[in-house]
């Protein structure tokens, strides 16, 4: 079957690539319909590694996906061929300690699509556990469903923050994860969200998502903007979604006393952490690694209209142009948020 294969750092090919996948009793086979291009996919393409995960052999990319069930295992009763679904890409070890404690996203043995050496889903079909597959209502498009995976990060971050109705939130970074965090924070109860970035086009997209105030930190200090909006008090919640070392080091400046910081973006190198600033405000600090137990919530919010991800999908490529799609995403053009690839029928 034809797949988008990362041959090595900096070299992609769209070619025939055989993946042997046996349908187990609790598995489903899914025809892929839409696959999103994630920043991690692009990073593997441009750098060949993320931390300890190094591409040593050819690997199929893609992990944000939606499709149609074409076959079910002998013990699967909740799905049938023709069901529209999205899929959680991380499969933990059910016997692992982290999984048994409920934190399956922290299982060291998790098998995550397009994380070496596990193949991703930029290919015609995939076999996946039914327990990590989620049925879509007819009101949720494949394009929106392929956004559930990044949206899950934002929803999980809002849950970790324990957002309260009426909170003022700050989101640092208006990339895909930052903007889904804006949506999640508003849906969780934030009365307003202040978003910072250096890209005016992305900030304009953020502004249209609801009661959102954009701040371009090239021309204005985020802390000054937040303090001006809050009579000098600060934000109840700060979500650091940029992964930028300098931005991550300044998270306590716009925070209100007793507020919470949630680190969402993963910096590529260690950051400065001002313990004194955090202590003076008795800041609560949370960290997010992927997500757990949130896919059904995301599907439900998309289905009800509580969250609309369509403004974040800014470019779509056909599968035949997958290499071009990755080159486009890697060039980081201004105003582009989420690139998706439409799979063949």
């Amino acid at each position: 079957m034809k797949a988008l294969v990362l041959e090595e750092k900096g070299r992609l090919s769209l070619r025939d690539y055989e993946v042997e996948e046996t349908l187990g009793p609790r598995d489903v086979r899914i025809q892929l319909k839409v696959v999103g291009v994630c920043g991690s996919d692009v990073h593997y393409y441009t750098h060949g590694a993320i931390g300890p995960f190094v591409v040593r052999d050819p690997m199929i990319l893609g992990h944000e996906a939606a499709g149609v069930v074409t076959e079910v295992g002998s013990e699967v009763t909740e799905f049938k061929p023709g069901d529209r679904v999205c899929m959680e890409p991380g499969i933990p070890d059910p016997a692992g300690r982290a999984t048994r404690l409920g934190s399956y996203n922290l299982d060291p043995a998790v098998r995550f699509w397009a994380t070496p050496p596990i193949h991703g889903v930029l290919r015609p079909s995939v076999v996946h556990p039914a327990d990590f597959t989620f049925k879509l209502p007819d009101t949720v498009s494949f394009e929106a469903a392929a956004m559930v995976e990044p949206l899950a990060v934002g929803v999980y971050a809002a849950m970790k923050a324990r957002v309260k109705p009426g909170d003022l939130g700050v989101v640092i970074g208006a990339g895909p994860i930052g903007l889904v965090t804006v949506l999640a924070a508003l849906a969780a109860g934030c009365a307003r969200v202040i978003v910072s970035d250096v890209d005016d086009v992305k900030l304009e997209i953020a502004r249209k998502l609801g009661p959102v105030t954009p701040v371009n930190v090239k021309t204005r200090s985020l802390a000054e903007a937040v303090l001006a909006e809050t009579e000098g008090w600060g934000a109840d919640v700060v979500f650091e979604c940029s992964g930028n070392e300098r931005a991550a080091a300044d998270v306590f400046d716009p925070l209100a006393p007793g507020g919470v910081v949630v680190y969402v973006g993963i910096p590529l190198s260690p950051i400065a952490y001002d313990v004194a600033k955090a202590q003076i405000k008795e800041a609560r600090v949370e960290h997010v690694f992927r997500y757990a137990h949130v896919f059904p919530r995301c599907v439900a919010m998309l289905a009800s209209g509580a969250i609309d991800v369509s403004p974040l999908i800014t470019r779509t490529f056909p599968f035949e142009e997958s290499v071009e799609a990755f080159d486009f995403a890697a060039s980081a053009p201004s105003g582009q948020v989420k690139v998706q690839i439409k799979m063949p029928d």
Side-chain angles (χ1 to χ4, degrees):
M1 60 182 179
K2 189 166 282 189
L4 182 69
V5 181
L6 177 58
E7 308 286 1
E8 59 185 0
K9 172 185 170 181
R11 188 163 68 92
L12 285 170
S13 16
L14 194 61
R15 64 176 176 91
D16 286 337
Y17 194 99
E18 194 63 36
V19 179
E20 293 293 336
E21 290 185 315
T22 303
L23 189 75
R26 285 291 302 159
D27 291 337
V28 293
R29 193 180 303 276
I30 300 153
Q31 178 189 0
L32 281 307
K33 291 292 187 179
V34 175
V35 179
V37 177
C38 177
S40 66
D41 294 317
V42 174
H43 198 81
Y44 281 124
Y45 173 36
T46 56
H47 291 73
I50 298 178
F53 301 104
V54 180
V55 179
R56 304 187 189 281
D57 299 295
M59 180 182 77
I60 299 171
L61 291 171
H63 65 264
E64 303 174 359
V68 175
V69 174
T70 59
E71 187 180 1
V72 301
S74 59
E75 297 178 8
V76 174
T77 58
E78 63 269 46
F79 294 104
K80 65 182 185 305
D83 283 343
R84 304 166 67 255
V85 295
C86 64
M87 300 78 78
E88 189 166 343
I91 308 169
D93 176 3
R97 185 169 181 174
T99 305
R100 289 184 286 112
L101 290 172
S103 299
Y104 63 84
N105 57 315
L106 305 182
D107 175 19
V110 68
R111 296 169 52 84
F112 200 93
W113 284 339
T115 299
I118 309 303
H119 288 301
V121 292
L122 274 164
R123 49 184 160 127
S125 68
V126 67
V127 170
H128 200 59
D131 294 329
F132 288 88
T133 303
F134 302 89
K135 195 175 295 186
L136 300 172
D138 291 339
T139 53
V140 178
S141 68
F142 288 123
E143 291 78 10
M147 288 290 293
V148 168
E149 198 277 337
L151 177 61
V153 177
V155 171
Y156 191 53
M159 292 170 62
K160 293 293 286 283
R162 302 200 290 270
V163 171
K164 301 181 298 300
D167 275 353
L168 173 68
V170 166
V171 173
I172 301 173
I177 295 300
L179 293 182
V180 294
T181 301
V182 170
L183 292 171
L186 291 171
C190 278
R192 286 187 298 151
V193 176
I194 297 172
V195 183
S196 68
D197 205 281
V198 296
D199 186 326
D200 282 326
V201 182
K202 289 181 181 177
L203 288 170
E204 181 60 18
I205 293 172
R207 187 186 65 79
K208 295 177 180 179
L209 296 179
V212 174
T213 301
V215 175
N216 190 320
V217 291
K218 286 194 298 188
T219 57
R220 189 181 187 192
S221 158
L222 174 61
E224 288 178 4
V226 173
L227 294 175
E229 291 282 335
T230 59
E231 298 180 341
W233 182 247
D236 301 292
V237 185
V238 175
F239 298 95
E240 205 308 291
C241 297
S242 70
N244 178 276
E245 289 83 356
R246 182 175 176 184
D250 295 334
V251 289
F252 300 112
D253 293 341
L255 187 69
V260 57
V261 167
V262 184
Y263 285 98
V264 185
I266 301 178
L268 296 179
S269 58
I271 65 167
Y273 186 98
D274 196 324
V275 176
K277 283 185 180 180
Q279 285 180 309
I280 289 168
K281 293 183 176 180
E282 285 198 353
R284 177 165 61 89
V285 179
E286 296 281 357
H287 301 85
V288 164
F289 182 64
R290 295 172 180 158
Y291 39 75
H293 310 291
V294 294
F295 260 57
R297 295 173 183 268
C298 295
V299 173
M301 287 189 287
L302 291 175
S304 71
I307 284 181
D308 178 12
V309 294
S310 59
L312 310 188
I313 304 168
T314 49
R315 186 72 184 269
T316 301
F317 287 81
F319 179 60
E320 294 75 18
E321 297 176 13
S322 294
V323 175
E324 292 85 346
F326 269 76
D327 286 335
F328 176 79
S331 70
S334 175
Q336 291 297 321
V337 180
K338 177 54 64 177
V339 174
Q340 291 188 334
I341 294 173
K342 182 173 172 52
M343 306 300 288
D345 291 329

